[in-house]
Amino acid sequence: MRPDTPADHTTEAERLLRAAARYPEDREPLLLQAAAHLELAGDRARATTLYDELLGSTDLDLDHPHLVKALNAANLWEYGHEAEARAIIEGIRAAGPLDPGPWEIAAETLEAHDELEAAHDYFSTALTLLLTPGEEVPYATQSLLSGRHRVRRLMGVDHDAWDELADTLHTATVPLDELHDPKRLWSLGSSDPGELQAEITRLRAELGTYRTALSRPFPVAVLHWPAAELAELLTAYPDLREEYPSHPEHLARLEAALRDLHQAGTPNLGIVTGTVPSYEAFAASEAASPSDPDLLPQYATTLAARGRATPWPPARSAACWCGSGRAYRECHGAE
């Protein structure tokens, strides 16, 4: 059962903290989850302590340091530390991370505190940095377009090209303009059955979107083995050779699988990179043999759940996911 009361959230946070002590390799995602539950429990000061612990750790190389900073800023602002939160948010902007997550959290923090122009500028700065004209919008970046669209509707400004792109990418039955209509709140006080029914329809559409996101909190990921790791894997577990006839074949199959999933309409795709020690540790935790091919997709899903996935497809001008050093469009992204 999901936590519901502050006490439930505190209990869940304590469980996650114990898990982080047992599994130091997953400390970052576990502490972030624990901090989120502490925020929901109303213990924001303790949540800040966890964020500070992550950011100040000398023995942990954070995978998403700017995400931790953004979450910390959002939490700090909520319990009276506005100046510190603003400083962190400006620091994220100056750093220019290529991960959409920190930008979205920081922009939504500004929006939540009625800093609409600052939020709009933040969303726009992020999209300028992360979007390449003419290329497909990555799944993780689409929410930045939606957030910017929402803020611009609140500001009462006309649509621009990015708003039109947000409308195009929106798949819910209720149009984005209607969902982001600032006059919607007025209908909640209306006695007109038609207005109330329209609002129920809009809320159901929003709920469906949220449920879709929650049902896939991490990417559908395929497992990539670098050449040296694959050679070590097959030497130790030759039964897996049927899965991996050669490294070039492995890379070709991986790209083909991702394209098939994409064409089938599967959103939020990614690639996780395996290592033999990590795979062996996972097999041991599952009381299974590393030679079992059925363990491979479970390992990939576990890595994705730990935040290890790299979104696919990359920008065509970006380095290819395979590590060749060539641009994606010249390597596995070639048509």
PDB file of all heavy atoms in Angstrom, residues 78-102:
ATOM      1  N   GLU A  78      10.251  26.129   0.139  1.00  0.00           N
ATOM      2  CA  GLU A  78       8.973  25.809   0.759  1.00  0.00           C
ATOM      3  C   GLU A  78       8.964  26.067   2.264  1.00  0.00           C
ATOM      4  O   GLU A  78       7.910  26.202   2.863  1.00  0.00           O
ATOM      5  CB  GLU A  78       8.599  24.352   0.484  1.00  0.00           C
ATOM      6  CG  GLU A  78       8.165  24.075  -0.936  1.00  0.00           C
ATOM      7  CD  GLU A  78       6.919  24.868  -1.313  1.00  0.00           C
ATOM      8  OE1 GLU A  78       6.021  25.003  -0.461  1.00  0.00           O
ATOM      9  OE2 GLU A  78       6.862  25.368  -2.453  1.00  0.00           O
ATOM     10  N   TYR A  79      10.138  26.096   2.889  1.00  0.00           N
ATOM     11  CA  TYR A  79      10.091  26.352   4.337  1.00  0.00           C
ATOM     12  C   TYR A  79      10.950  27.548   4.740  1.00  0.00           C
ATOM     13  O   TYR A  79      11.560  27.604   5.797  1.00  0.00           O
ATOM     14  CB  TYR A  79      10.406  25.088   5.145  1.00  0.00           C
ATOM     15  CG  TYR A  79      11.832  24.628   5.257  1.00  0.00           C
ATOM     16  CD1 TYR A  79      12.531  24.745   6.470  1.00  0.00           C
ATOM     17  CD2 TYR A  79      12.491  24.033   4.188  1.00  0.00           C
ATOM     18  CE1 TYR A  79      13.838  24.291   6.602  1.00  0.00           C
ATOM     19  CE2 TYR A  79      13.781  23.571   4.308  1.00  0.00           C
ATOM     20  CZ  TYR A  79      14.453  23.706   5.522  1.00  0.00           C
ATOM     21  OH  TYR A  79      15.744  23.250   5.650  1.00  0.00           O
ATOM     22  N   GLY A  80      10.917  28.565   3.852  1.00  0.00           N
ATOM     23  CA  GLY A  80      11.395  29.873   4.251  1.00  0.00           C
ATOM     24  C   GLY A  80      12.797  30.271   3.878  1.00  0.00           C
ATOM     25  O   GLY A  80      13.244  31.357   4.248  1.00  0.00           O
ATOM     26  N   HIS A  81      13.506  29.442   3.103  1.00  0.00           N
ATOM     27  CA  HIS A  81      14.884  29.771   2.743  1.00  0.00           C
ATOM     28  C   HIS A  81      14.938  30.224   1.278  1.00  0.00           C
ATOM     29  O   HIS A  81      15.634  29.640   0.446  1.00  0.00           O
ATOM     30  CB  HIS A  81      15.794  28.562   2.978  1.00  0.00           C
ATOM     31  CG  HIS A  81      15.858  28.145   4.416  1.00  0.00           C
ATOM     32  ND1 HIS A  81      16.749  28.686   5.312  1.00  0.00           N
ATOM     33  CD2 HIS A  81      15.111  27.254   5.112  1.00  0.00           C
ATOM     34  CE1 HIS A  81      16.578  28.130   6.501  1.00  0.00           C
ATOM     35  NE2 HIS A  81      15.581  27.259   6.410  1.00  0.00           N
ATOM     36  N   GLU A  82      14.182  31.275   0.975  1.00  0.00           N
ATOM     37  CA  GLU A  82      14.041  31.731  -0.406  1.00  0.00           C
ATOM     38  C   GLU A  82      15.359  32.184  -1.009  1.00  0.00           C
ATOM     39  O   GLU A  82      15.680  31.834  -2.160  1.00  0.00           O
ATOM     40  CB  GLU A  82      13.022  32.865  -0.467  1.00  0.00           C
ATOM     41  CG  GLU A  82      12.852  33.446  -1.860  1.00  0.00           C
ATOM     42  CD  GLU A  82      11.899  34.626  -1.887  1.00  0.00           C
ATOM     43  OE1 GLU A  82      11.063  34.745  -0.970  1.00  0.00           O
ATOM     44  OE2 GLU A  82      11.997  35.436  -2.828  1.00  0.00           O
ATOM     45  N   ALA A  83      16.133  32.962  -0.279  1.00  0.00           N
ATOM     46  CA  ALA A  83      17.380  33.497  -0.827  1.00  0.00           C
ATOM     47  C   ALA A  83      18.338  32.386  -1.215  1.00  0.00           C
ATOM     48  O   ALA A  83      18.965  32.420  -2.292  1.00  0.00           O
ATOM     49  CB  ALA A  83      18.037  34.434   0.188  1.00  0.00           C
ATOM     50  N   GLU A  84      18.449  31.375  -0.358  1.00  0.00           N
ATOM     51  CA  GLU A  84      19.344  30.259  -0.663  1.00  0.00           C
ATOM     52  C   GLU A  84      18.831  29.480  -1.870  1.00  0.00           C
ATOM     53  O   GLU A  84      19.613  29.054  -2.737  1.00  0.00           O
ATOM     54  CB  GLU A  84      19.458  29.338   0.551  1.00  0.00           C
ATOM     55  CG  GLU A  84      20.485  28.221   0.377  1.00  0.00           C
ATOM     56  CD  GLU A  84      20.660  27.380   1.625  1.00  0.00           C
ATOM     57  OE1 GLU A  84      20.091  27.738   2.678  1.00  0.00           O
ATOM     58  OE2 GLU A  84      21.372  26.361   1.540  1.00  0.00           O
ATOM     59  N   ALA A  85      17.514  29.297  -1.929  1.00  0.00           N
ATOM     60  CA  ALA A  85      16.927  28.573  -3.061  1.00  0.00           C
ATOM     61  C   ALA A  85      17.195  29.315  -4.369  1.00  0.00           C
ATOM     62  O   ALA A  85      17.561  28.704  -5.384  1.00  0.00           O
ATOM     63  CB  ALA A  85      15.430  28.398  -2.845  1.00  0.00           C
ATOM     64  N   ARG A  86      17.012  30.629  -4.352  1.00  0.00           N
ATOM     65  CA  ARG A  86      17.260  31.418  -5.571  1.00  0.00           C
ATOM     66  C   ARG A  86      18.722  31.297  -6.012  1.00  0.00           C
ATOM     67  O   ARG A  86      19.015  31.200  -7.209  1.00  0.00           O
ATOM     68  CB  ARG A  86      16.917  32.881  -5.321  1.00  0.00           C
ATOM     69  CG  ARG A  86      15.433  33.195  -5.259  1.00  0.00           C
ATOM     70  CD  ARG A  86      15.229  34.694  -5.058  1.00  0.00           C
ATOM     71  NE  ARG A  86      13.847  35.069  -4.943  1.00  0.00           N
ATOM     72  CZ  ARG A  86      13.032  35.295  -5.982  1.00  0.00           C
ATOM     73  NH1 ARG A  86      13.521  35.155  -7.217  1.00  0.00           N
ATOM     74  NH2 ARG A  86      11.780  35.653  -5.803  1.00  0.00           N
ATOM     75  N   ALA A  87      19.631  31.325  -5.056  1.00  0.00           N
ATOM     76  CA  ALA A  87      21.052  31.227  -5.396  1.00  0.00           C
ATOM     77  C   ALA A  87      21.357  29.886  -6.059  1.00  0.00           C
ATOM     78  O   ALA A  87      22.119  29.813  -7.032  1.00  0.00           O
ATOM     79  CB  ALA A  87      21.899  31.407  -4.140  1.00  0.00           C
ATOM     80  N   ILE A  88      20.751  28.820  -5.553  1.00  0.00           N
ATOM     81  CA  ILE A  88      20.967  27.491  -6.134  1.00  0.00           C
ATOM     82  C   ILE A  88      20.398  27.443  -7.548  1.00  0.00           C
ATOM     83  O   ILE A  88      21.031  26.919  -8.484  1.00  0.00           O
ATOM     84  CB  ILE A  88      20.324  26.400  -5.249  1.00  0.00           C
ATOM     85  CG1 ILE A  88      21.047  26.314  -3.907  1.00  0.00           C
ATOM     86  CG2 ILE A  88      20.366  25.046  -5.964  1.00  0.00           C
ATOM     87  CD1 ILE A  88      20.358  25.410  -2.904  1.00  0.00           C
ATOM     88  N   ILE A  89      19.204  28.004  -7.723  1.00  0.00           N
ATOM     89  CA  ILE A  89      18.563  27.999  -9.043  1.00  0.00           C
ATOM     90  C   ILE A  89      19.398  28.770 -10.061  1.00  0.00           C
ATOM     91  O   ILE A  89      19.575  28.331 -11.212  1.00  0.00           O
ATOM     92  CB  ILE A  89      17.134  28.576  -8.927  1.00  0.00           C
ATOM     93  CG1 ILE A  89      16.229  27.565  -8.208  1.00  0.00           C
ATOM     94  CG2 ILE A  89      16.570  28.917 -10.300  1.00  0.00           C
ATOM     95  CD1 ILE A  89      14.853  28.095  -7.865  1.00  0.00           C
ATOM     96  N   GLU A  90      19.950  29.897  -9.667  1.00  0.00           N
ATOM     97  CA  GLU A  90      20.810  30.647 -10.570  1.00  0.00           C
ATOM     98  C   GLU A  90      22.098  29.887 -10.871  1.00  0.00           C
ATOM     99  O   GLU A  90      22.642  29.967 -11.971  1.00  0.00           O
ATOM    100  CB  GLU A  90      21.122  32.025  -9.969  1.00  0.00           C
ATOM    101  CG  GLU A  90      19.964  32.998 -10.058  1.00  0.00           C
ATOM    102  CD  GLU A  90      19.446  33.134 -11.481  1.00  0.00           C
ATOM    103  OE1 GLU A  90      20.256  33.370 -12.407  1.00  0.00           O
ATOM    104  OE2 GLU A  90      18.225  32.984 -11.686  1.00  0.00           O
ATOM    105  N   GLY A  91      22.587  29.145  -9.888  1.00  0.00           N
ATOM    106  CA  GLY A  91      23.777  28.336 -10.104  1.00  0.00           C
ATOM    107  C   GLY A  91      23.541  27.229 -11.121  1.00  0.00           C
ATOM    108  O   GLY A  91      24.417  26.919 -11.936  1.00  0.00           O
ATOM    109  N   ILE A  92      22.351  26.645 -11.093  1.00  0.00           N
ATOM    110  CA  ILE A  92      22.004  25.608 -12.074  1.00  0.00           C
ATOM    111  C   ILE A  92      21.962  26.211 -13.470  1.00  0.00           C
ATOM    112  O   ILE A  92      22.480  25.632 -14.437  1.00  0.00           O
ATOM    113  CB  ILE A  92      20.655  24.959 -11.709  1.00  0.00           C
ATOM    114  CG1 ILE A  92      20.774  24.170 -10.405  1.00  0.00           C
ATOM    115  CG2 ILE A  92      20.176  24.037 -12.840  1.00  0.00           C
ATOM    116  CD1 ILE A  92      19.448  23.694  -9.850  1.00  0.00           C
ATOM    117  N   ARG A  93      21.351  27.386 -13.587  1.00  0.00           N
ATOM    118  CA  ARG A  93      21.304  28.052 -14.899  1.00  0.00           C
ATOM    119  C   ARG A  93      22.713  28.306 -15.430  1.00  0.00           C
ATOM    120  O   ARG A  93      23.013  28.078 -16.610  1.00  0.00           O
ATOM    121  CB  ARG A  93      20.539  29.367 -14.798  1.00  0.00           C
ATOM    122  CG  ARG A  93      20.440  30.108 -16.135  1.00  0.00           C
ATOM    123  CD  ARG A  93      20.249  31.594 -15.919  1.00  0.00           C
ATOM    124  NE  ARG A  93      19.016  31.885 -15.259  1.00  0.00           N
ATOM    125  CZ  ARG A  93      17.855  32.111 -15.897  1.00  0.00           C
ATOM    126  NH1 ARG A  93      17.823  32.067 -17.208  1.00  0.00           N
ATOM    127  NH2 ARG A  93      16.766  32.379 -15.224  1.00  0.00           N
ATOM    128  N   ALA A  94      23.599  28.798 -14.566  1.00  0.00           N
ATOM    129  CA  ALA A  94      24.966  29.098 -14.991  1.00  0.00           C
ATOM    130  C   ALA A  94      25.708  27.842 -15.418  1.00  0.00           C
ATOM    131  O   ALA A  94      26.527  27.868 -16.342  1.00  0.00           O
ATOM    132  CB  ALA A  94      25.718  29.794 -13.857  1.00  0.00           C
ATOM    133  N   ALA A  95      25.423  26.715 -14.748  1.00  0.00           N
ATOM    134  CA  ALA A  95      26.105  25.452 -15.075  1.00  0.00           C
ATOM    135  C   ALA A  95      25.616  24.873 -16.396  1.00  0.00           C
ATOM    136  O   ALA A  95      26.354  24.168 -17.091  1.00  0.00           O
ATOM    137  CB  ALA A  95      25.903  24.443 -13.945  1.00  0.00           C
ATOM    138  N   GLY A  96      24.358  25.121 -16.745  1.00  0.00           N
ATOM    139  CA  GLY A  96      23.809  24.641 -18.012  1.00  0.00           C
ATOM    140  C   GLY A  96      23.808  23.140 -18.167  1.00  0.00           C
ATOM    141  O   GLY A  96      24.292  22.623 -19.179  1.00  0.00           O
ATOM    142  N   PRO A  97      23.230  22.384 -17.226  1.00  0.00           N
ATOM    143  CA  PRO A  97      23.224  20.913 -17.368  1.00  0.00           C
ATOM    144  C   PRO A  97      22.428  20.476 -18.587  1.00  0.00           C
ATOM    145  O   PRO A  97      21.483  21.153 -19.006  1.00  0.00           O
ATOM    146  CB  PRO A  97      22.558  20.448 -16.068  1.00  0.00           C
ATOM    147  CG  PRO A  97      21.722  21.606 -15.621  1.00  0.00           C
ATOM    148  CD  PRO A  97      22.492  22.821 -16.020  1.00  0.00           C
ATOM    149  N   LEU A  98      22.813  19.341 -19.156  1.00  0.00           N
ATOM    150  CA  LEU A  98      22.142  18.818 -20.340  1.00  0.00           C
ATOM    151  C   LEU A  98      21.040  17.832 -19.988  1.00  0.00           C
ATOM    152  O   LEU A  98      20.503  17.159 -20.868  1.00  0.00           O
ATOM    153  CB  LEU A  98      23.175  18.146 -21.261  1.00  0.00           C
ATOM    154  CG  LEU A  98      24.269  19.079 -21.781  1.00  0.00           C
ATOM    155  CD1 LEU A  98      25.238  18.316 -22.673  1.00  0.00           C
ATOM    156  CD2 LEU A  98      23.664  20.272 -22.525  1.00  0.00           C
ATOM    157  N   ASP A  99      20.689  17.754 -18.716  1.00  0.00           N
ATOM    158  CA  ASP A  99      19.605  16.915 -18.227  1.00  0.00           C
ATOM    159  C   ASP A  99      18.374  17.789 -18.033  1.00  0.00           C
ATOM    160  O   ASP A  99      18.447  18.815 -17.345  1.00  0.00           O
ATOM    161  CB  ASP A  99      20.034  16.269 -16.907  1.00  0.00           C
ATOM    162  CG  ASP A  99      18.927  15.468 -16.255  1.00  0.00           C
ATOM    163  OD1 ASP A  99      17.888  15.246 -16.899  1.00  0.00           O
ATOM    164  OD2 ASP A  99      19.101  15.055 -15.090  1.00  0.00           O
ATOM    165  N   PRO A 100      17.217  17.436 -18.619  1.00  0.00           N
ATOM    166  CA  PRO A 100      16.035  18.286 -18.474  1.00  0.00           C
ATOM    167  C   PRO A 100      15.512  18.378 -17.039  1.00  0.00           C
ATOM    168  O   PRO A 100      14.873  19.369 -16.677  1.00  0.00           O
ATOM    169  CB  PRO A 100      14.996  17.607 -19.380  1.00  0.00           C
ATOM    170  CG  PRO A 100      15.776  16.736 -20.302  1.00  0.00           C
ATOM    171  CD  PRO A 100      16.991  16.303 -19.544  1.00  0.00           C
ATOM    172  N   GLY A 101      15.758  17.344 -16.223  1.00  0.00           N
ATOM    173  CA  GLY A 101      15.185  17.285 -14.888  1.00  0.00           C
ATOM    174  C   GLY A 101      15.443  18.510 -14.017  1.00  0.00           C
ATOM    175  O   GLY A 101      14.499  19.108 -13.477  1.00  0.00           O
ATOM    176  N   PRO A 102      16.709  18.922 -13.834  1.00  0.00           N
ATOM    177  CA  PRO A 102      16.967  20.097 -12.992  1.00  0.00           C
ATOM    178  C   PRO A 102      16.293  21.365 -13.507  1.00  0.00           C
ATOM    179  O   PRO A 102      15.783  22.170 -12.718  1.00  0.00           O
ATOM    180  CB  PRO A 102      18.495  20.233 -13.045  1.00  0.00           C
ATOM    181  CG  PRO A 102      19.003  18.908 -13.451  1.00  0.00           C
ATOM    182  CD  PRO A 102      17.945  18.310 -14.321  1.00  0.00           C
TER     183      PRO A 102
END
